[in-house]
Amino acid sequence: MWNEAPDTEEPSRGGGVALWLALLLFLVIVLSNLFMLRPRLTDRIDAWSTRVMQAEFTARMLYGDLLPFGTLDRAQWDEVLELLTAKDAPLGALVRAVILLEDRASLIGEKTARERIRQLLRRLPSAPTRYPPAQKQAILRWCQTVYGEQSVTLSATQADEFRRTIESANLGWLRLLALKQLESRRGNVDSARGWDVRARQEANRLQRMVLVAFGVVVLMLFGGMGAWLAYAVWKSTTRPAQRAEPVLSPRHADTVLWGLVAYFGATYAGGWVAGLMARALPPSTPQLVLLVLLVQVATGGFALLVLHQNMERDGIGWRDIGLTWKPLSVNLLWGTGAYLAMVPVLLLTVVLVQVLLPTIPSPAHPIAGVASGQNPAWVTVLLFLVAAVFAPLFEEVFFRGVLLNALWARTGSKWVGIIGSALVFSVLHPQLYLGWIAVFVIGVMLGLLFVERRSLAPCIWMHAINNTLALVATQLLRLAG
């Protein structure tokens, strides 16, 4: 059964080979990931993605009238524009700057705005871009005609062409301002006012979402500080200070590590298969989630089978790596409290990374594009299974149940197990470049929780909470536009 060890015991096997083989496979996976990321590391346009998102977010926040931003002066808008027009700015960033300059001309000054627009229009043709040549030319025609040739009257045919160009240029919220300016240029006052109302409504919706998010974060911060305080009181009053012994017997470390070897090997092979199959699918398609789920279940299930066979052969059971559920209510409570305790630490880490390295693109999971879209119910269910069921189960069994246990048992140091397993856990996650730092913090907290409770159940539950809230956050971002 799940938590029962076999009746017979056989000598341990492995001699350290499993650990070295697991390390070799880990390095192969890391090098493969870095090789695939190399084009992005040197891509100037990709390095601009965070700046563009930051500028668009700020502009949209300032455009709303729900929060008291009405007293902002020209300096605040200049900061947004400077962010979009710095050296080597791509075409998409410069186009956004042109749109904002046109819309904020009365605040910045008509003469100054017109001169800055003319300067940007001269930069557009030579700006780096990922737009196909035909789309780039369509964008240049739209910008030059609407923002550069003020005396030219737009025909109905040109207006229709420019509408299509704006809608296909992936300008996000700023497309509403561009459409407003297009209608204003044609003299359609009512239509321009309609687009302005819609832009303001979208901005107000973002402001409301930010207020809600801020309230939730504050509550979670207080909850996290309360969890740390409760743990400190409990630790000082009910638990004597003593050295924690490893959960797994040292003689069984190599036995369980063969399961990790199988997990790494299956993950590497499954990643290549999934990558080849994903090439035939459109980007961010719902079928990608089904593909990820099938590969995840196949690779994780195979590795669990190998682990079970090795443990059975060596006379140990799942309980010996900490996979115990009882008492379930206590484990769930510990997992919830540990997640709340992690929130302040994780937020501090994210803030420090963004402050110290603000130009590094924001980390994202490969299925984030699907998760943040409007999906049918079956896709939402699959996303939940991928992120909140199978990922916590497989990853906690192999990173905490196997790797942390084995390192702790072999070295006698719980910190070697906690840090080592957290490092491997974070580097193997796809949220690069710097996303691994936040994931490392999560891994350390999961390791501390496992050492404290000597059970994987609260770790699985904490991991599931984290991933479920991440899915919810992506949907809230979609609702915010």
Side-chain angles (χ1 to χ4, degrees), residues 134-312:
Q135 188 175 14
K136 176 182 177 180
Q137 291 304 314
I139 291 172
L140 294 178
R141 283 196 302 272
W142 154 53
C143 290
Q144 293 290 350
T145 304
V146 174
Y147 302 106
E149 302 173 8
Q150 294 291 308
S151 60
V152 176
T153 302
L154 297 181
S155 65
T157 302
Q158 283 180 310
D160 289 339
E161 176 192 343
F162 294 157
R163 285 192 200 95
R164 291 192 297 270
T165 300
I166 292 169
E167 292 289 359
S168 64
N170 193 28
L171 295 173
W173 171 78
L174 285 171
R175 82 188 190 286
L176 300 175
L177 297 186
L179 290 168
K180 179 188 81 170
Q181 292 158 8
L182 177 63
E183 296 302 330
S184 179
R185 180 78 164 70
R186 295 193 65 210
N188 296 335
V189 178
D190 291 339
S191 181
R193 186 179 296 112
W195 285 114
D196 183 69
V197 169
R198 184 174 172 185
R200 202 166 299 278
Q201 289 173 342
E202 292 288 321
N204 287 338
R205 185 168 65 172
L206 177 63
Q207 289 185 352
R208 282 191 293 270
M209 196 66 68
V210 168
L211 284 174
V212 172
F214 179 77
V216 171
V217 169
V218 169
L219 289 175
M220 293 180 73
L221 281 173
F222 279 110
M225 289 185 288
W228 280 112
L229 179 61
Y231 176 75
V233 171
W234 173 81
K235 193 76 172 177
S236 63
T237 57
T238 63
R239 292 290 297 269
Q242 57 184 8
R243 183 175 182 270
E245 295 297 327
V247 175
L248 182 70
S249 172
R251 66 186 296 269
H252 299 308
D254 289 317
T255 299
V256 298
L257 279 171
W258 283 109
L260 187 67
V261 170
Y263 184 64
F264 283 171
T267 299
Y268 183 67
W272 276 105
V273 172
L276 293 173
M277 297 178 68
R279 293 179 183 177
L281 299 174
S284 298
T285 179
Q287 284 76 17
L288 180 62
V289 182
L290 180 59
L291 175 61
V292 170
L293 177 62
L294 292 175
V295 172
Q296 183 187 52
V297 172
T299 56
F302 168 76
L304 280 180
L305 178 62
V306 173
L307 176 61
H308 173 71
Q309 290 177 340
N310 276 274
M311 290 195 304
E312 187 176 50

Side-chain angles (χ1 to χ4, degrees), residues 46-68:
D46 194 65
W48 266 84
S49 60
T50 300
R51 294 187 191 181
V52 171
M53 286 189 291
Q54 179 183 346
E56 186 172 338
F57 176 87
T58 304
R60 186 172 165 186
M61 283 289 292
L62 297 179
Y63 204 81
D65 50 21
L66 184 66
L67 296 177

